Amino acid sequence: MAKDGLHRIFSRIVKIKPDELKISFLLFFYLFLVIAAYNVIKPIRNASLLEELGYQYLPVVYLLTAVIIGFVVAIHSKIQVKISRYALITLSILFFFLTCLIFRIFSGYGWQGLPIIFWVWANVFIIVLNTQFWITVNDVLNPREFKRLSGFFISGGILGGFVGGLLAGSLAKENVEYNLLFLSAGLLFVCSLLVYWIFRWQKREQSVQDKEEKSGDVKAGTTTKPGFRDSYKSVKEHNYLRFIATIVILTLVVSTLIDFQFQTVVQNNETGNLTSFFGYFYAGLMVFAFLLSLLMTSKLFRRYGVRISLLLYPLVLLLCFFGIGIAASLVMAIVIKGSDKSLSYSINRSARELLFIPVSPDIKYKAIVFIDMFVDRFSKGLGAVVLLIIMSFGIQDYKGLVRVVSLVSIVMILGWIVFTVRASREYVNSVKKKLPPPAPRPDKLVEVGLDVDYTKLIFDTLESRERSPDLYAMHVFELMKRGKLTPELRQLLSVQAEDMAPSSLGTFFEADSSAFIRMDDVDNNDVMGKEIQEIMSLDVYENVMKEYIDKVLSDKSSNAETARMEIAKGIGFLTLDSPIIQKLEELLVDDSSEVRKYAIESAAKLRKREYVPVLIQSLQDPPTHSDAAAALEKYGLRILGSLADYLCDSDEDLELRKAVVSILAHIGTQEAADYMLWELDENNEEMDSELIDALDRIRSEMPEIEFYEDLIKKKIKQKLKSYYEQFVEFADKESKGKDEEICRVMSYELTNSLMNIFKLLGLIYPHEDVAKALQNIQTGTKKDVAYAVELLDNILEKEIRAAILPIVEDLSQVERAKACAALRKDFPEF
């Protein structure tokens, strides 16, 4: 009950699920303690350097820190290869716990170099412990969980910074108060206990997740531990990681320049207790950062995505640099430093860590170590070099120095913005790579894997042997014309003529009815082909056959069915100027469905427009439906107008109109798509599914086809509102234990509705991406679903994204029903 009550309280602020409470609070207090300890140390670090050496030494300590951190990274990399991550983090905390006490002991000796050593140690402290925290986060959370929860546990770090700074400011009795190191040591001791609980939780959860993970996935906590060289290569060899590294370098160089401006202005304007000043400053700074992280970070991600979240930081700093360049005052120094750190601790840190999540685990941890530890401090060193170059010009007025630093920083921020845009694009590509490709459409799979026309011809040929040798001969001749009479097929078709039914046409195709029809005599059309062509080219042929056809057609008995089939098949071999083909219209409406099939086949070869109405009506006849559809598809563009007339005629049979949709999809031109879009705009629910599926087929096969975006968006909204209403009704019935069969049918309808929504999305957004997302939402693991939703979050527009994500997020049925109930109120009537 207590857990449920806690969840209800915090779920109003953060989108947190009941089973995420424990890990969220553990991460919250883990970062709280690390940052609190550091913010007790940081005012001492700043005050000791400015008080005892002055701001002129800032470039020196920046550069020295960068050099030392290189050695630290190398040592850290060697150790982490040999021990577990839990042991590494615990030993790191123990090391800094002991060195806190050592610095307190040696602070009383008045060594001049101690402020420099202490500055470097403090930076190593935060780099190592902060990096280890984020590696732990990457182990525990997927992208969707990170977006929802990052603002919460990052606010824990910010709150820790506030508490640490407040304690430093209120407890400092001297200008440089080393006694506060005892407080930091105590906070680190408690932190070590939290780390133990986090890894216990992770071990339990991993056993559950392993059952869901695909066998090829690399499990969290079991990835290869990288050495320094591997870490460097992982960044060097991957374009996306190079973008991230470049952004980090530019970010931290600019941040170093801001820190120099701030410290310089403080030294020249603040005369009181520096430890107390810095403590209160960092405490006040963290209040704003805490509110920003807790209340805005997650919302910013959800509403505007990764790119805007990443761009906010440099754009705000750009404005601040203009401000401090104009007025290098203590107020502007506090504003720019406050903006830098509050955004860095909240939104930017979350966005930066989010960039790492879709990276493959075997590369991710190497990159994090290299970027967060080595590149971080290298950037500080690079910032120090920039400052040393600026100071070499001998600018004596500190305000002039601050203005020059602002000008250099503005140039760097412009580069920072460019690389941020490129990295955000690569982030989406990385998310795509985490998902398996979409399966091809079933109809496309059949077409690619099987030549349907050829297979049908073979079966018809085999069947025709049981009817007559003439019908059989015509089928073999057609195989020859198509170049499909392979040696294997010849062997299959070899049969004695005496084993066949007797001929009906007599002289139409028969050269010697007592001879064998030998497939080994059929070679490159030389035998059967020449004989058939010679017969059909005779002047007397047409007159003889016309008399014979008239006689057969006048006989309506079942005994003449085979003869009519032979005639219907044979007409397809004639030319358009032959008067015999006029008889085909009568055969197209023959009482026998077998005769009609052959007549339809011949109509598809001749392609005369007068056959089209009969062929379209044949779509309503189940025995001839598929043959008529195949025939009409072969007409292609010539009959688009006729097909459109039937499609848009609401008085026509519904099943016929649906069949016309399928034919238009097979034709697949821009004009065919336009006709279907116009009909889709008529809002005929009975036709929608066929129209949407047909348009999806066109989109998958011909991506160059354009679709009316406004019309599609309108239809998406209609389908979404319908889905919301269906889901609310379904959830209500299921919660009340209503008829299981009704619920099963409704569940099936919801699945179809969702598929239609995604097919519509695929018409105006990248089709493969949308199909990939849907497939993984429907059939993937929890992790696959998270990446699929993340992909949608980055490719859909804000309005559509806000309407789609709640119905595909990993939510309970009750939560989804509430979301659907709320969303349907926002949709207009259509």
Side-chain angles (χ1 to χ4, degrees):
M1 290 296 292
K3 184 177 180 180
D4 291 340
L6 193 62
H7 173 256
R8 282 196 297 272
I9 293 171
F10 281 93
S11 62
R12 296 173 183 173
I13 304 173
V14 183
K15 287 196 171 182
I16 189 170
K17 299 177 183 178
D19 59 342
E20 296 168 343
L21 272 176
K22 185 172 183 179
I23 189 60
S24 298
F25 275 98
L26 287 173
L27 291 172
F28 178 95
F29 286 108
Y30 179 6
L31 192 58
F32 172 91
L33 292 168
V34 169
I35 302 301
Y38 175 64
N39 266 33
V40 171
I41 294 169
K42 193 173 180 180
I44 306 171
R45 182 201 70 176
N46 292 357
S48 63
L49 185 76
L50 294 181
E51 180 71 19
E52 299 177 28
L53 298 176
Y55 74 85
Q56 293 84 355
Y57 277 83
L58 285 170
V60 176
V61 292
Y62 293 152
L63 190 58
L64 186 59
T65 299
V67 174
I68 296 299
I69 203 67
F71 291 104
V72 172
V73 171
I75 295 170
H76 187 277
S77 298
K78 288 181 179 180
I79 294 174
Q80 73 174 3
V81 173
K82 299 177 180 179
I83 62 177
S84 69
R85 193 166 294 144
Y86 167 67
L88 178 65
I89 295 174
T90 303
L91 288 175
S92 299
I93 293 173
L94 178 62
F95 169 79
F96 290 112
F97 171 82
L98 294 174
T99 47
C100 272
L101 302 179
I102 292 172
F103 271 110
R104 173 60 192 90
I105 293 171
F106 284 95
S107 64
Y109 289 90
W111 291 348
Q112 189 174 2
L114 186 64
I116 295 176
I117 298 172
F118 187 72
W119 180 288
V120 173
W121 172 85
N123 286 339
V124 172
F125 173 101
I126 190 60
I127 286 295
V128 170
L129 296 187
N130 199 41
T131 299
Q132 290 174 347
F133 169 80
W134 288 108
I135 288 177
T136 303
V137 169
N138 271 274
D139 274 346
V140 171
L141 304 180
N142 64 47
R144 302 307 298 172
E145 291 169 339
F146 185 92
K147 278 190 172 183
R148 283 189 292 100
L149 303 176
S150 61
F152 176 64
F153 59 72
I154 288 174
S155 66
I158 296 171
L159 184 61
F162 167 74
V163 172
L166 189 62
L167 289 172
S170 59
L171 297 177
K173 305 300 182 185
E174 300 177 6
N175 212 14
V176 182
E177 184 59 82
Y178 280 104
N179 286 324
L180 295 174
L181 291 175
F182 287 124
L183 177 59
S184 291
L187 294 171
L188 289 176
F189 174 75
V190 179
C191 185
S192 66
L193 299 178
L194 278 179
V195 169
Y196 169 74
W197 288 327
I198 288 172
F199 277 88
R200 277 192 62 185
W201 178 90
Q202 185 188 21
K203 187 176 180 179
R204 287 197 304 270
E205 288 295 310
Q206 192 63 52
S207 62
V208 176
Q209 292 177 15
D210 286 346
K211 295 177 182 178
E212 284 192 330
E213 294 292 334
K214 296 177 181 177
S215 58
D217 284 354
V218 180
K219 307 296 188 295
T222 62
T223 52
T224 303
K225 302 182 185 75
F228 177 76
R229 186 173 297 177
D230 287 339
S231 299
Y232 168 70
K233 286 177 65 178
S234 69
V235 175
K236 180 182 177 183
E237 295 174 357
H238 291 83
N239 195 45
Y240 176 50
L241 293 175
R242 289 201 301 271
F243 284 148
I244 296 176
T246 303
I247 291 171
V248 171
I249 290 172
L250 292 170
T251 301
L252 293 174
V253 168
V254 170
S255 186
T256 301
L257 300 181
I258 290 173
D259 187 65
F260 175 81
Q261 289 179 316
F262 174 67
Q263 306 263 11
T264 300
V265 173
V266 168
Q267 184 178 342
N268 284 277
N269 289 273
E270 178 60 39
T271 59
N273 184 324
L274 288 180
T275 299
S276 182
F277 169 79
F278 284 120
Y280 284 126
F281 169 75
Y282 290 122
L285 169 66
M286 292 303 172
V287 171
F288 177 69
F290 174 78
L291 295 174
L292 188 65
S293 179
L294 185 63
L295 302 178
M296 288 189 61
T297 300
S298 297
K299 291 180 180 178
L300 188 68
F301 280 133
R302 290 198 305 272
R303 293 183 182 179
Y304 301 104
V306 175
R307 179 177 297 180
I308 298 300
S309 301
L310 284 168
L311 286 173
L312 181 64
Y313 186 20
L315 291 175
V316 170
L317 292 186
L318 192 63
L319 295 175
C320 291
F321 275 119
F322 281 113
I324 199 170
I326 295 171
S329 63
L330 182 60
V331 172
M332 280 308 306
I334 290 173
V335 168
I336 193 170
K337 182 67 174 178
S339 299
D340 175 37
K341 288 306 174 184
S342 60
L343 290 170
S344 174
Y345 290 153
S346 55
I347 295 170
N348 186 68
R349 185 74 213 199
S350 298
R352 192 171 112 189
E353 292 304 322
L354 183 61
L355 293 178
F356 283 113
I357 289 181
V359 179
S360 299
D362 58 331
I363 299 172
K364 179 193 305 183
Y365 301 108
K366 300 174 186 179
I368 289 176
V369 169
F370 182 76
I371 291 176
D372 277 9
M373 295 182 72
F374 180 77
V375 172
D376 191 297
R377 289 305 106 180
F378 167 78
S379 304
K380 294 287 186 181
L382 184 60
V385 171
V386 172
L387 287 171
L388 288 172
I389 293 173
I390 294 173
M391 293 175 72
S392 68
F393 289 100
I395 303 173
Q396 298 299 320
D397 178 26
Y398 81 90
K399 291 186 177 180
L401 187 60
V402 167
R403 291 189 179 100
V404 173
V405 170
S406 292
L407 183 62
V408 173
S409 299
I410 289 170
V411 174
M412 290 186 175
I413 286 178
L414 295 177
W416 176 1
I417 291 171
V418 171
F419 279 98
T420 295
V421 172
R422 297 183 69 181
S424 63
R425 291 174 185 163
E426 287 298 317
Y427 169 76
V428 177
N429 292 332
S430 297
V431 171
K432 293 177 187 178
K433 292 175 184 177
K434 297 294 289 185
L435 298 171
R441 287 174 52 94
D443 48 13
K444 186 66 176 177
L445 194 61
V446 171
E447 288 180 6
V448 172
L450 182 67
D451 187 335
V452 179
D453 286 343
Y454 175 47
T455 304
K456 181 179 181 297
L457 180 57
I458 292 174
F459 279 104
D460 287 347
T461 304
L462 292 171
E463 184 183 6
S464 68
R465 293 189 305 183
E466 305 298 325
R467 296 185 181 274
S468 79
D470 295 317
L471 200 57
Y472 173 63
M474 284 186 277
H475 279 92
V476 173
F477 180 58
E478 188 168 356
L479 284 168
M480 292 167 52
K481 287 183 67 177
R482 294 192 188 184
K484 299 289 188 178
L485 196 57
T486 63
E488 295 81 8
L489 189 55
R490 291 178 186 181
Q491 181 66 30
L492 176 65
L493 296 177
S494 293
V495 66
Q496 290 183 339
E498 61 190 31
D499 295 331
M500 300 182 192
S503 170
S504 297
L505 285 178
T507 59
F508 190 43
F509 273 96
E510 184 180 15
D512 184 355
S513 61
S514 64
F516 290 103
I517 298 180
R518 296 162 56 101
M519 290 299 109
D520 54 346
D521 290 337
V522 180
D523 188 16
N524 296 325
N525 296 5
D526 287 342
V527 179
M528 186 176 289
K530 286 183 179 179
E531 291 182 358
I532 293 173
Q533 293 298 335
E534 287 175 4
I535 293 172
M536 297 178 70
S537 63
L538 294 175
D539 293 336
V540 298
Y541 171 78
E542 286 189 1
N543 292 329
V544 172
M545 290 311 302
K546 187 175 184 301
E547 293 178 5
Y548 175 77
I549 292 170
D550 289 338
K551 178 182 177 182
V552 170
L553 293 182
S554 64
D555 185 356
K556 300 300 182 180
S557 68
S558 59
N559 294 331
E561 181 184 26
T562 299
R564 296 199 304 277
M565 291 166 61
E566 292 169 343
I567 295 169
K569 177 74 175 177
I571 289 176
F573 294 106
L574 302 176
T575 59
L576 289 172
D577 57 357
S578 172
I580 295 177
I581 66 172
Q582 297 175 7
K583 302 296 182 178
L584 188 61
E585 293 185 42
E586 185 175 346
L587 292 166
L588 284 170
V589 293
D590 194 273
D591 292 337
S592 169
S593 62
E594 294 299 320
V595 174
R596 293 199 302 273
K597 286 181 181 179
Y598 281 114
I600 289 170
E601 181 184 314
S602 292
K605 294 175 183 177
L606 299 173
R607 300 180 192 176
K608 296 189 70 175
R609 292 191 64 88
E610 52 262 40
Y611 303 148
V612 172
V614 179
L615 291 175
I616 291 177
Q617 292 301 326
S618 297
L619 294 170
Q620 296 176 273
D621 185 15
T624 60
H625 173 89
S626 59
D627 297 275
L632 289 166
E633 288 167 4
K634 291 175 182 176
Y635 274 80
L637 296 174
R638 296 172 55 200
I639 60 168
L640 273 179
S642 299
L643 292 173
D645 290 340
Y646 280 92
L647 172 65
C648 299
D649 188 349
S650 58
D651 294 330
E652 283 289 349
D653 180 76
L654 181 64
E655 294 305 316
L656 185 147
R657 296 172 68 199
K658 290 180 178 180
V660 167
V661 169
S662 178
I663 296 166
L664 288 170
H666 192 276
I667 294 172
T669 62
Q670 181 68 61
E671 190 177 357
D674 290 344
Y675 285 135
M676 288 190 285
L677 284 170
W678 294 335
E679 180 59 27
L680 185 67
D681 197 32
E682 294 298 316
N683 298 323
N684 185 342
E685 289 288 337
E686 294 178 309
M687 290 288 293
D688 277 359
S689 290
E690 281 71 20
L691 288 165
I692 292 170
D693 185 67
L695 291 168
D696 178 70
R697 174 173 178 166
I698 292 177
R699 173 69 162 162
S700 66
E701 295 177 358
M702 282 156 283
E704 70 276 7
I705 300 293
E706 296 181 357
F707 300 88
Y708 302 126
E709 188 169 324
D710 290 343
L711 189 156
I712 298 300
K713 286 183 177 178
K714 175 185 174 184
K715 200 67 182 180
I716 289 172
K717 291 176 182 178
Q718 289 177 354
K719 293 298 179 185
L720 279 169
K721 184 169 185 180
S722 175
Y723 183 92
Y724 299 152
E725 293 169 348
Q726 283 180 290
F727 193 90
V728 171
E729 183 182 357
F730 167 73
D732 180 62
K733 288 183 181 296
E734 195 165 69
S735 65
K736 294 177 180 177
K738 295 289 181 70
D739 192 324
E740 290 185 6
E741 180 62 22
I742 294 177
C743 290
R744 187 187 65 79
V745 171
M746 291 185 71
S747 177
Y748 175 78
E749 291 174 348
L750 281 168
T751 300
N752 286 338
S753 295
L754 186 65
M755 290 180 65
N756 283 338
I757 290 169
F758 271 78
K759 286 176 182 178
L760 287 168
L761 288 172
L763 301 180
I764 56 175
Y765 295 103
H767 184 271
E768 183 178 352
D769 294 346
V770 173
K772 184 184 292 187
L774 176 61
Q775 174 179 288
N776 286 276
I777 287 168
Q778 291 184 324
T779 63
T781 64
K782 180 179 178 181
K783 187 175 181 180
D784 291 333
V785 172
Y787 279 112
V789 176
E790 181 66 12
L791 176 58
L792 293 174
D793 198 1
N794 284 275
I795 64 173
L796 301 181
E797 295 174 24
K798 179 183 175 182
E799 183 183 12
I800 299 295
R801 182 172 66 236
I804 290 288
L805 295 192
I807 66 175
V808 295
E809 284 269 25
D810 182 24
L811 301 175
S812 68
Q813 184 164 294
V814 173
E815 291 174 319
R816 182 164 292 143
K818 289 180 179 178
C820 288
L823 285 166
R824 68 178 176 178
K825 296 177 182 178
D826 298 330
F827 276 74
E829 295 294 334
F830 293 97

